[in-house]
Amino acid sequence: MTQPGSNSHCAITGWGVALPTTIVTNDDLSRRLETTDAWIYERTGIRQRFFANDDETTATLAAQAARAAIARAGLFPNDIGLMIVATCTPEQLMPHTGAFVGHELGLSCGSFDINAACSGFVYALEVAVGMARNGIPNVLVVGSETMSRIVDPDDRATAILFGDGAGAAVVSAHASEFESFLSNDLGCDGSATAILGVLAGGSKLPSSQKTLDSGDHFISMNGQEVFKRAVLAVVESCQRALNRASLTCDDVDWFIPHQANIRIITAAASRLNIAMSRTVVNLDRYGNTSSASIPLALFEAVDDGRIRPGDTVLACGFGAGLTTATSVLRWPATTKESR
Ligand code: UT7
């Protein structure tokens, strides 16, 4: 939450996105899976997604998006004081993905990863705001995923949902005429860890021939349970965050929900009483890109002129954990470019 008396006026001053080169349509998937374009579109709202090629990884996509964000902020890599990478598909288990991205960008600052699954970008954004308010002038935040690497290509229930991509933002202190980050709500219901996750490869179930044979290195999901919990979690998290900013849903110019399923989005928007005309949806083109989903939607709406300076933006992610993360933003009036 914004601290009373805080006058650092943090804002997003630069942003960028990156997508892999290969588009995979529903028809492409239906050639190898028992599914159809009609089923996928009706049940999810997805038409296509991007899948990384062998030479594209979470770190390469992150670096591409980050480079664009730094340039757009009118900065150089040396100006970045900290980088936070949100991902649930890390470059490798160790070292953290930020090490690879920072090396690629020529950063000399510290970095760390956040894994809050699809809520990761908003978590990272709010941590970045805290760090910026506490004296780091420019914090780089990246949400980057290669979900195609952890999806079982033969599981029609999950293979149709996910896509790859990245989005990045520079959060700067003293960057706007008014405070841009109005409030937040971060949550996690750890009783729901079993409904969505990757079982193998960690401390509880190290990778072995057995886990490979059983497919435990792939995502497993109870789709209906995630669906039900997600709608409730999004609605409650958005309400808490808006309350903290002394705002209501009527004050929201743009709702940026995590792009998981059009039916989850419409159900949450309807319960919040936010019209779909004020809700940004782009999952038809990208699928569920996890921590890249909110930046891909937010920055698309900024770049095409829907979101304007002064607009109130409600961004809400939910994901494995079950995590939720909401930011209430006022889109900045001035950025470093225009100062
Ligand atoms: O970031 C968070 C990530 N996860 C999510 O957001 C997932 C949330 N859940 C969902 O989006 C939905 O639950 C799904 C899209 C995954 C599934 O939709 P659903 O309406 O909940 O379908 P269902 O699981 O109830 O399955 C209905 C039927 C089943 O067949 P039977 O048992 O009725 O004969 C499934 O086997 O649809 C079948 N089915 C499919 N059919 C064609 C499941 N996947 C497919 C498929 N194509 N791809």
Side-chain angles (χ1 to χ4, degrees), residues 57-60 85 87-101 113 115 144 146 149-150 201:
T57 67
T58 294
T60 67
V85 178
T87 186
C88 62
T89 50
E91 195 74 350
Q92 54 193 54
L93 210 51
M94 186 177 73
H96 68 294
T97 302
F100 298 93
V101 182
D113 291 5
N115 179 357
S144 184
T146 46
R149 304 282 212 262
I150 60 165

Side-chain angles (χ1 to χ4, degrees), residues 149-160:
R149 304 282 212 262
I150 60 165
V151 158
D152 180 349
D154 295 323
D155 175 15
R156 67 178 182 172
T158 52
I160 58 153

Side-chain angles (χ1 to χ4, degrees), residues 126-161:
E126 292 298 337
V127 173
V129 173
M131 298 303 272
R133 283 185 183 139
N134 279 291
I136 301 182
N138 300 294
V139 183
L140 177 62
V141 180
V142 193
S144 184
E145 304 285 7
T146 46
M147 300 302 286
S148 61
R149 304 282 212 262
I150 60 165
V151 158
D152 180 349
D154 295 323
D155 175 15
R156 67 178 182 172
T158 52
I160 58 153
L161 292 178

Side-chain angles (χ1 to χ4, degrees), residues 257-282:
H258 168 46
Q259 307 286 306
N261 185 315
I262 189 65
R263 294 184 294 141
I264 295 177
I265 293 173
T266 50
S270 155
R271 288 191 198 190
L272 288 165
N273 211 15
I274 297 176
M276 286 306 288
S277 57
R278 292 190 284 138
T279 302
V280 175
V281 174
N282 66 4

Side-chain angles (χ1 to χ4, degrees), residues 34-35 39 43-44 118 156-157 160-162 196 221 223-224 226-227 258 260-261 263-264 288 318:
E34 205 182 314
T35 189
W39 192 97
R43 298 285 180 125
T44 69
C118 310
R156 67 178 182 172
I160 58 153
L161 292 178
F162 295 98
L196 176 57
M221 181 179 76
Q224 289 192 350
V226 175
F227 192 114
H258 168 46
N261 185 315
R263 294 184 294 141
I264 295 177
N288 179 346
F318 66 89

